[in-house]
Amino acid sequence: MDRLELTELTALLRTCAGEEESTDLDGDVLDVPLSDLGYDSLALLQVTGIIERDHDITLDEEALDEAETPRQYLDLVNHALSARTTA
């Protein structure tokens, strides 16, 4: 895999931390803060661990702390995946 898509990210979020009844992860959530979607740092830590393990990458922890939306999170992951395939 050289790119993580929103559908894959939302599936991982659901698996690791469930989904709040008032949240529709199938909607336009790319720019909605992850905290507004009901996901805290522990949920993201679990998702990050799975992604790092499954795709043999290491994500920048400081940059991850600054990723507030699914778009920002996906950008970080996809940058790491891209760097891995070009290295």
Side-chain angles (χ1 to χ4, degrees), residues 46-65:
Q46 291 175 320
V47 168
T48 299
I50 291 169
I51 291 169
E52 288 180 329
R53 180 195 69 212
D54 290 353
H55 304 291
D56 195 29
I57 59 173
T58 301
L59 299 171
D60 181 334
E61 289 181 33
E62 288 181 27
L64 285 170
D65 287 341

Side-chain angles (χ1 to χ4, degrees), residues 21-74:
E21 288 182 26
S22 62
T23 304
D24 178 16
L25 289 179
D26 296 321
D28 185 14
V29 297
L30 269 175
D31 296 310
V32 177
L34 289 159
S35 59
D36 289 357
L37 296 173
Y39 298 105
D40 60 9
S41 58
L42 181 57
L44 292 176
L45 184 63
Q46 291 175 320
V47 168
T48 299
I50 291 169
I51 291 169
E52 288 180 329
R53 180 195 69 212
D54 290 353
H55 304 291
D56 195 29
I57 59 173
T58 301
L59 299 171
D60 181 334
E61 289 181 33
E62 288 181 27
L64 285 170
D65 287 341
E66 295 177 15
E68 296 180 2
T69 66
R71 182 186 306 276
Q72 292 170 333
Y73 187 88
L74 286 168

